[in-house]
Each structure stands twice: as C-alpha cells, then as structure tokens.
Amino acid sequence: MAKKIQTNFKIRIPEIVFIFFLLFSGISLGFSTGSFIINLKNVGFSIMSTLEKGCNYIYSSVSNTVHAVSELKQLRKDYDELVIKLENYEEMQRSNADIKKENQRLKEQLDFAISLDEKNIPAQIISRNLDSVYSYLTIDKGAVNGIKKGMPVIAFQNGNNGLVGRVIQVGTFTSQVMPVYNIDNIVSARILNTRDLGLVNGLGSQDQPLKLKYIRKTVVDSLKFGDIIVTSGENDNYMKDIPIGTISLIKNNNYDTSLDIELTPVIDFARLENVVVINPKELNDRKDNN
C-alpha cells in the first residue's frame, strides 16, 4: 500500500513582518533620494509623449487620406470638365469645318450660276424617289420662283458642271425633276471629240451607268475610255455641250448595228445636294449688268 505524501507550507508572521519592513525601507529610500519621483515623471512623460505621437500620426494619416480623397474627387471633376470641353471644342472644330465646306460649296454654286449666260434659279434637293426605275428629285423652288415645266437642270460638283435632268412638274413652291438616270429620260447627245450623234438614257438607278445608243460601229477605233459625252442641243430640250458622262465601256456586238456604250455620269447623284434650273430663253440679268 503506497504511502500518502503530504507537503505542508506555512508562512510565519515574523517572515511577513520582515518582508514588509524591507519593502517599506526601499520605498522610503527612493522618496528620500528623489529618484522614485523622477522615474515616475520620466515614465509618465514617455507614456504620454508616445500616446501623443501616436495620436498625431493617426490624425495626420486620416487627415492626409481625407485630403487625398478630396483632391482625387476634384481632379476627377476637373478631368471630366476638361473632357467635356475637349469634346465641345472638337465638335465646334468639326462644325466650323463643315460650315467652311458648306460655304465654299455654296460660293462655288453661286459663282457658277453667275457665270451662266442664261437666266437661272439655284435650288436645293429636298427629297428623292429611289423606289423604282421611274426616279424623281424634288427641289425647293417652284412657280413663284420662275420655274417652268421642261426647264433643264444642271449642277456644279467637284469643279465640273454636268446635266442633272429636266423639270417635269411645277408646284407653287416646289418642283419635280426627272434625272438623266430615269429610264424615261432620253437625251440627244454627242461624243465631244468625234461629234458623233446618239441618244443617252438611264437604267432607272443612280448607281447604274447610262447608255449611249446609235453610235456607228465604224467609229469604234476613234473612241476611248474617258471620252466626254455632251448634250447635242437638238430637239430643243437641253442647251448645247452640257457634259453628261464619260465612256466607261464599249461593246461591239455582232448582232447589233451600233455600238453598245456605257457612261459614268459626270454628276455623282448620291452626293448631289444643290442644282441650278436654267431658263434657256432668257439671258442672265447679271450678265446684262456687266
């Protein structure tokens, strides 16, 4: 049977008294020499200065962060405003460029109208019918402006003048024009360099070539691509020598008695905006004043 080991630890009163007097003597000695007070001051100063430094660091960090966020927001706002100003400036530049182009184009149209011997009325295309082979253009001038049925219509584009068509219907303020590419519009024409006579008509679309018919096969060697076709001035439908188009294809078919010739119109109808309606029976008033 194992023996039970017991440990008895007892603190006696004389020992407690001795320890108390020992601590009291040390504390008294510290106060008497002043070292204890000084140490407490040093310790307190260290603690307080450390806390103050920490608080100042935290405040500075938070303040800097808030200031940085505020600056970032202001920079973002300034950036957005500059982007808007830049876009407005670019839009203004584009608008100015468009206005300059429009003014230049209108000046060219005006100079062209003034240069004509015949009385004329500048007009603008306001609509066009492209749904069928019987295509028409509508212009913003009518009877009140002196326009009459049958008047020829021309245009000045990219430094060249060319035939657009003729007026077929006149309203009070608007008129309808049959363009040369209309399948029903047949124009008496000549090859400018050879003076051979033929007829030009369209295929019904501004994107398709014009056809020049009834040109003799015997002149095929005298023709070349790029030859200019002009109005003949016959049949009293158009003035003489208005450019219509240039030769782009020549076919010499065995089964046909004449050449099959295709023309590229002088006028780019897809980009056409302004036209000039001609009154061939009256002289230009501006010409008379000169």
Side-chain angles (χ1 to χ4, degrees), residues 27-219:
I27 293 171
S28 298
L29 181 62
F31 274 109
S32 64
T33 59
S35 61
F36 186 78
I37 296 174
I38 294 173
N39 288 337
L40 284 178
K41 288 182 178 179
N42 290 336
V43 172
F45 174 76
S46 298
I47 293 173
M48 293 302 295
S49 61
T50 301
L51 289 175
E52 184 179 0
K53 183 178 181 181
C55 291
N56 183 64
Y57 175 78
I58 293 172
Y59 173 79
S60 298
S61 299
V62 172
S63 178
N64 291 336
T65 301
V66 172
H67 185 65
V69 171
S70 177
E71 285 187 344
L72 183 60
K73 288 182 178 179
Q74 185 62 39
L75 287 173
R76 181 65 184 181
K77 181 181 178 181
D78 293 342
Y79 172 78
D80 292 339
E81 290 177 354
L82 287 174
V83 168
I84 294 174
K85 289 181 179 179
L86 180 60
E87 290 176 350
N88 292 336
Y89 175 76
E90 291 176 347
E91 181 65 26
M92 183 177 65
Q93 289 293 93
R94 285 193 294 269
S95 298
N96 289 338
D98 292 340
I99 290 172
K100 288 180 180 179
K101 288 180 181 179
E102 178 69 10
N103 289 339
Q104 180 62 31
R105 186 169 56 82
L106 292 176
K107 183 180 181 301
E108 291 175 350
Q109 294 286 336
L110 179 60
D111 291 342
F112 174 63
I114 293 174
S115 70
L116 295 173
D117 293 329
E118 297 83 6
K119 186 174 181 179
N120 58 80
I121 304 101
Q124 184 176 1
I125 297 173
I126 56 175
S127 69
R128 59 188 78 200
N129 174 17
L130 303 176
D131 294 336
S132 67
V133 293
Y134 304 104
S135 304
Y136 300 97
L137 307 174
T138 302
I139 58 176
D140 64 347
K141 297 294 172 62
V144 295
N145 306 107
I147 293 180
K148 297 178 182 179
K149 185 177 180 180
M151 285 184 173
V153 182
I154 62 177
F156 185 81
Q157 188 183 64
N158 300 325
N160 300 308
N161 63 299
L163 183 65
V164 174
R166 60 187 175 90
V167 177
I168 61 168
Q169 187 173 346
V170 181
T172 305
F173 303 105
T174 60
S175 301
Q176 194 173 63
V177 177
M178 178 188 289
V180 291
Y181 57 81
N182 186 299
I183 199 169
D184 280 345
N185 197 350
I186 299 175
V187 183
S188 177
R190 288 188 184 274
I191 300 174
L192 186 61
N193 66 334
T194 68
R195 308 308 296 177
D196 285 282
L197 184 66
L199 295 177
V200 171
N201 75 288
L203 298 176
S205 170
Q206 64 182 20
D207 299 320
Q208 291 182 291
L210 304 175
K211 287 285 189 178
L212 175 60
K213 300 179 179 179
Y214 308 115
I215 300 298
R216 298 169 299 162
K217 289 186 175 183
T218 55
V219 302

Side-chain angles (χ1 to χ4, degrees), residues 189-192 200 212 227-231 242-245 247 263:
R190 288 188 184 274
I191 300 174
L192 186 61
V200 171
L212 175 60
D227 279 349
I228 299 174
I229 311 303
V230 298
T231 55
I242 303 173
I244 302 173
I247 294 178
L263 309 178

Side-chain angles (χ1 to χ4, degrees), residues 227-247:
D227 279 349
I228 299 174
I229 311 303
V230 298
T231 55
S232 69
E234 297 182 4
N235 301 328
D236 197 31
N237 56 356
Y238 296 101
M239 304 93 70
K240 188 177 180 180
D241 291 337
I242 303 173
I244 302 173
T246 57
I247 294 178

